[in-house]
Amino acid sequence: MSVPLTFTGRVVLVTGAGGGLGREYALAFGERGAAVVVNDLGGDIKGGGKSSAAADRVVEEIRAKGGKAVANYDSVEDGEKLIQTALDAFGRIDIVVNNAGILRDRSFARTSDLDWDLIHRVHLRGSFLVTRAAWNHMKNQKFGRIIMTSSAAGIYGNFGQANYSAAKLGLLGLANTLAIEGQKYNIHCNTIAPTAGSRLTETVMPPDLLESLKAEYVAPLVLWLCHESCQENSGLFEVGAGWIGKLRWERSLGRIVRQTNQMVTPESVRDTWSEICDFTDATKPASIQESLQTLVDVLSRVDTGITANPTSAVSITAAGTNPSAAIGHTLAEMNFTYTHMNCILYALGVGMSTKDPHHLKFLFEGHEDFSVLPTFGVIPAQSSMMGLSSVPGLDIDFTRLLHGEQYMELFKPLPTSGTLSSKATVADVLDKGSGMLILLDVHTYSGGELLCYNQFSVFIVGSGGFGGKRTSQKVMVTADPPNRAPDAVIVDETSKDQAALYRLSGDWNPLHIDPSFAAMGGFKSPILHGLCSFGFAARHVLKQYAGSDVSRFKSIKVRFVKPVYPGQSLQTEMWKEGNRVHLQCKVKETGGVVLSGAYIDLHAAADTSMSAGPPQPAGLQSDLVFAEIGRRIKDAGAELVKKVNAVFGWEITKDGKTAREWTIDLKTGSGSLHKGAYTGKADVTFTVTDEDFMEVVLGKLNPQKAFFAGKLKVRGNIMLSQKLEAILKDHAKL
């Protein structure tokens, strides 16, 4: 059962609260413990007249239910008086719901100056004055929640409401700016566009529709947006009839119509109009910085003579970067020396504790089964992200870098101490419209033996729109969980010092420790590292389905979704499907998803071999061939990757059953061979008996004849089979 939202100790001002939506807000806040200032001038819908009766009735309703409330009868144009009422009665002001409004509908030609001015004075200027009066109080107490009330008429326009529409959209602009200015003070401002039965809608809606659009269906959204646990800021929501939807801006990729040293002409606009208005692969700018970045990009392109349409396949970005120069670039080798202390510190950083006796094997170096958590494998590789600044063809603003996804695969349990070397390669660069996605592959070795492979998916906000490809076969894909209730759930509470502890494993970003830095990033306090949540979730799965046996761990993939604040509880939901465990990680207190599309692949309990070296004897002739292929790839893998650039899967059968699976990866890094199916999607997969495989390798059986005879089955890109010659003919001689 979810935890009820309460507002005990909070003081709320609701304007226009004598009836309709405002009354519902006031009653709902009162029922949940807030002290409420019920403001209503008591006039008619056109702004005429004045009465205290409406506000008094709502106050009495709240008090009759045991709540606390006072009335205020001032116009919203006297904003200071409204806030002073709250201060005099309750000593503070926490929440302002700007709801007051009037209507003076006229067709545009008949709209008088008074019609225009009155609407703007009440809706736009009134909201400004009330909010300004509360602003410094909210800043000083480091908390505030503000609601602006827009309208579908403001968003879309409506006949006969030019004055009202202009004021209502003006409120959205005001709210967006307040959200930016208030962010570091924990003041959030959101906008709603409600549709509900009220005095303002009863003249334009039929009675049966009014009954269906009850004001009580809108109030829950307002209460959630105003709660201290809600981190939504600068949002715009349509709401009515029990439905809520969030709106955002969408912009076409557009078309550059200017060329170097040439004027823009109306004809050039006309001739490219369909491209200007084409919303294919549209972007969704969320800030003025993202919006202006496009103009910066355009100026850069024009100044350098690049005039192609952003949707075309140009290789040089607007910011002067060149993805084609970056792809395949290998960073300087990184060495990482560690002892058992680093392993223990990491285990503590991801929530392990001596309170659980099963954790001792990861915390005590003298334990007979002392082990390293598998996800420690990201630690030697993580500094590679900072190395992106040295990659030719990439111009990266690290203040706009987001860690989007993470894949990690172990080929052997990590040693408890030693020196590891990591080699990082830019696998691909993708254009996601609103940003650039960099796939960074990192292979980590111990004395020349491959231990671990990481793929960091790094997103650079605002660096997209350069015309690059949007997808890549090199990305390690996420996977949605089954459509059923989780098979298992584990909940772990993080400590208030969780981020301070985890950062000692090498992620020194001040976002996770410095409140001022976190505030600049829009967070109310320092947030937990995404890779810390990653570690929590992985050990939950390892405990639930592998008895914390690190040799069972094969690989993990996650997408980072939302932040976690130290002290919150992480809830890992798990679905087991064979040797794959799908998982989703949430913040228990809010229900917000932290990790999505995630899974962990485990080795079968009986399979204790994780090495990619020579296979154990099992009576298959093909094992000898693959062992030789593995040795040759180790010697000449980089050359083969350039020549082949593909991932081959092999299913070797014996007596009608799959006896062995192999993956030859000649696409990432310096190439690799490992036993088992490919965790992503192989470019092509071959199924063949052990005997027929040997016949093909020895040249006794033509592969084409084997294919047409049904002896060799192929899935995927069959044309890649032509590249097998580079592997089998040149590199599989026994």
Side-chain angles (χ1 to χ4, degrees):
M1 183 177 179
S2 61
V3 179
L5 299 179
T6 60
F7 292 85
T8 305
R10 297 299 185 194
V11 178
V12 183
L13 165 64
V14 182
T15 68
L21 287 168
R23 171 179 172 273
E24 288 297 330
Y25 303 155
L27 293 175
F29 277 116
E31 288 176 359
R32 291 175 179 261
V36 185
V37 177
V38 180
N39 160 262
D40 202 283
L41 184 64
D44 59 32
I45 65 169
K46 293 186 178 182
K50 184 174 183 179
S51 170
S52 63
D56 289 340
R57 281 195 299 269
V58 177
V59 169
E60 289 306 315
E61 285 186 80
I62 294 173
R63 290 177 176 173
K65 295 180 180 180
K68 294 182 289 185
V70 296
N72 174 277
Y73 317 114
D74 295 302
S75 166
V76 288
E77 292 187 84
D78 297 315
E80 293 285 353
K81 293 182 180 180
L82 276 68
I83 300 303
Q84 194 60 49
T85 298
L87 299 176
D88 291 344
F90 306 116
R92 61 186 291 129
I93 180 68
D94 298 292
I95 298 166
V96 171
V97 180
N98 290 294
N99 173 72
I102 61 171
L103 284 177
R104 293 180 73 93
D105 292 352
R106 299 280 193 281
S107 64
F108 183 67
R110 297 177 58 226
T111 301
S112 67
D113 290 353
L114 181 61
D115 292 331
W116 183 270
D117 292 341
L118 274 178
I119 290 293
H120 281 255
R121 281 167 50 191
V122 173
H123 289 272
L124 187 55
R125 190 167 187 270
S127 296
F128 156 69
L129 291 168
V130 172
T131 304
R132 186 179 66 176
W135 190 257
N136 283 334
H137 298 288
M138 292 179 172
K139 280 179 62 177
N140 293 336
Q141 68 197 17
K142 295 291 189 296
F143 178 84
R145 295 292 186 266
I146 300 164
I147 299 294
M148 297 293 180
T149 305
S150 184
S151 167
I155 300 170
Y156 307 110
N158 193 33
F159 184 88
Q161 293 190 311
N163 51 358
Y164 182 76
S165 299
K168 286 301 189 183
L169 195 57
L171 283 166
L172 177 61
L174 173 61
N176 288 342
T177 296
L178 295 185
I180 295 170
E181 294 188 16
Q183 190 165 257
K184 65 179 179 179
Y185 302 108
N186 193 24
I187 302 174
H188 297 172
C189 187
N190 290 286
T191 305
I192 64 169
T195 302
S198 69
R199 292 190 306 163
L200 300 190
T201 56
E202 64 185 6
T203 60
V204 295
M205 290 184 179
D208 55 342
L209 182 56
L210 284 172
E211 177 62 24
S212 300
L213 297 172
K214 293 180 179 179
E216 64 195 61
Y217 297 151
V218 177
L221 170 63
V222 172
L223 266 67
W224 165 239
L225 291 174
C226 293
H227 197 264
E228 60 192 33
S229 66
C230 180
Q231 296 305 304
E232 186 68 40
N233 196 18
S234 192
L236 170 62
F237 301 87
E238 284 188 287
V239 54
W243 170 87
I244 301 169
K246 185 174 183 179
L247 284 78
R248 63 184 180 187
W249 297 106
E250 185 175 69
R251 181 175 65 185
S252 71
L253 288 178
R255 176 65 154 84
I256 297 176
V257 295
R258 172 190 169 206
Q259 297 186 4
T260 307
N261 300 322
Q262 293 185 20
M263 295 294 293
V264 178
T265 65
E267 290 77 16
S268 65
V269 176
R270 176 200 64 197
D271 296 342
T272 57
W273 191 245
S274 61
E275 295 172 70
I276 292 170
C277 299
D278 182 2
F279 277 83
T280 303
D281 296 328
T283 62
K284 299 172 179 63
S287 68
I288 194 169
Q289 290 81 8
E290 290 184 29
S291 175
L292 292 176
Q293 183 62 40
T294 298
L295 300 184
V296 174
D297 294 350
V298 169
L299 290 173
S300 176
R301 289 194 191 197
V302 173
D303 289 344
T304 56
I306 302 167
T307 57
N309 183 350
T311 60
S312 66
V314 296
S315 62
I316 301 178
T317 72
T321 59
N322 186 352
S324 62
I327 297 172
H329 179 80
T330 299
L331 280 63
E333 184 172 309
M334 301 165 290
N335 291 319
F336 177 76
T337 300
Y338 66 104
T339 69
H340 64 273
M341 289 199 306
N342 301 90
C343 304
I344 294 170
L345 191 60
Y346 175 80
L348 292 169
V350 296
M352 291 201 134
S353 167
T354 55
K355 295 177 183 178
D356 187 334
H358 295 100
H359 291 181
L360 198 60
K361 64 181 284 188
F362 300 102
L363 299 175
F364 176 39
E365 70 283 3
H367 192 281
E368 62 180 2
D369 193 23
F370 181 55
S371 304
V372 186
L373 281 171
T375 48
F376 183 76
V378 301
I379 301 300
Q382 64 186 359
S383 61
S384 61
M385 285 193 287
M386 300 309 296
L388 289 171
S389 60
S390 66
V391 175
L394 292 184
D395 183 14
I396 296 175
D397 179 355
F398 280 91
T399 65
R400 310 178 85 174
L401 183 150
L402 299 175
H403 190 175
E405 297 180 3
Q406 183 70 29
Y407 176 81
M408 191 199 78
E409 183 172 357
L410 284 186
F411 301 105
K412 185 178 182 180
L414 297 166
T416 56
S417 63
T419 297
L420 306 180
S421 61
S422 295
K423 299 176 182 178
T425 303
V426 178
D428 220 335
V429 179
L430 306 180
D431 183 354
K432 292 296 186 178
S434 60
M436 175 170 61
L437 182 68
I438 302 169
L439 299 180
L440 185 64
D441 285 347
V442 185
H443 291 80
T444 300
Y445 300 84
S446 175
E449 180 181 20
L450 180 62
L451 287 184
C452 182
Y453 162 61
N454 279 276
Q455 184 178 86
F456 296 84
S457 297
V458 181
F459 190 77
I460 313 298
V461 178
S463 295
F466 54 83
K469 59 184 181 180
R470 296 182 66 86
T471 60
S472 171
Q473 291 186 342
K474 298 178 181 179
V475 68
M476 305 303 293
V477 297
T478 55
D480 293 331
N483 186 22
R484 65 173 190 267
D487 300 327
V489 178
I490 292 180
V491 179
D492 244 343
E493 182 180 354
T494 65
S495 76
K496 288 289 186 181
D497 296 318
Q498 202 72 59
L501 187 57
Y502 182 84
R503 70 190 298 267
L504 300 180
S505 288
D507 189 335
W508 305 104
N509 189 336
L511 177 67
H512 307 294
I513 192 71
D514 183 355
S516 299
F517 196 90
M520 286 191 294
F523 301 103
K524 65 180 182 181
S525 62
I527 62 173
L528 196 61
H529 306 70
L531 284 175
C532 182
S533 303
F534 170 90
F536 265 82
R539 66 175 182 79
H540 287 166
V541 172
L542 203 64
K543 176 182 179 181
Q544 181 70 31
Y545 291 111
S548 295
D549 180 358
V550 296
S551 70
R552 295 279 312 281
F553 183 95
K554 182 180 181 183
S555 60
I556 179 173
K557 171 70 179 185
V558 306
R559 176 185 294 125
F560 301 107
V561 182
K562 287 187 177 181
V564 179
Y565 290 97
Q568 292 181 319
S569 299
L570 287 171
Q571 176 175 302
T572 304
E573 301 171 345
M574 295 165 269
W575 296 259
K576 191 172 189 304
E577 301 250 307
N579 287 330
R580 172 164 290 186
V581 180
H582 295 270
L583 67 97
Q584 178 174 263
C585 199
K586 296 179 178 178
V587 173
K588 184 177 186 297
E589 291 80 0
T590 66
V593 176
V594 177
L595 305 177
S596 71
Y599 61 84
I600 287 178
D601 286 332
L602 299 172
H603 290 282
D607 182 8
T608 59
S609 172
M610 298 176 62
S611 171
Q616 299 298 316
L620 295 185
Q621 301 177 71
S622 57
D623 285 350
L624 299 173
V625 177
F626 281 104
E628 177 65 18
I629 290 174
R631 285 191 288 270
R632 299 296 178 150
I633 289 177
K634 190 173 181 179
D635 294 337
E639 180 183 346
L640 283 170
V641 167
K642 290 181 181 179
K643 184 184 296 185
V644 178
N645 190 32
V647 176
F648 298 95
W650 286 91
E651 296 174 353
I652 306 298
T653 65
K654 186 79 171 177
D655 299 325
K657 298 179 180 179
T658 300
R660 193 82 79 239
E661 290 181 286
W662 295 93
T663 297
I664 301 174
D665 184 352
L666 295 178
K667 180 178 282 188
T668 57
S670 299
S672 64
L673 167 79
H674 64 87
K675 188 190 295 185
Y678 190 51
T679 53
K681 183 179 180 181
D683 296 300
V684 59
T685 300
F686 303 94
T687 302
V688 63
T689 67
D690 185 51
E691 295 81 4
D692 288 337
F693 176 83
M694 293 304 299
E695 292 286 298
V696 171
V697 170
L698 296 173
K700 297 179 180 180
L701 177 61
N702 181 285
Q704 290 183 347
K705 291 183 178 179
F707 174 76
F708 287 113
K711 294 183 177 181
L712 176 64
K713 298 178 182 178
V714 184
R715 301 195 307 272
N717 186 354
I718 193 172
M719 299 304 294
L720 288 173
S721 61
Q722 299 175 18
K723 296 187 176 184
L724 278 176
E725 185 178 9
I727 306 169
L728 299 180
K729 182 177 179 180
D730 298 333
H731 301 285
K733 296 177 181 177
L734 299 178

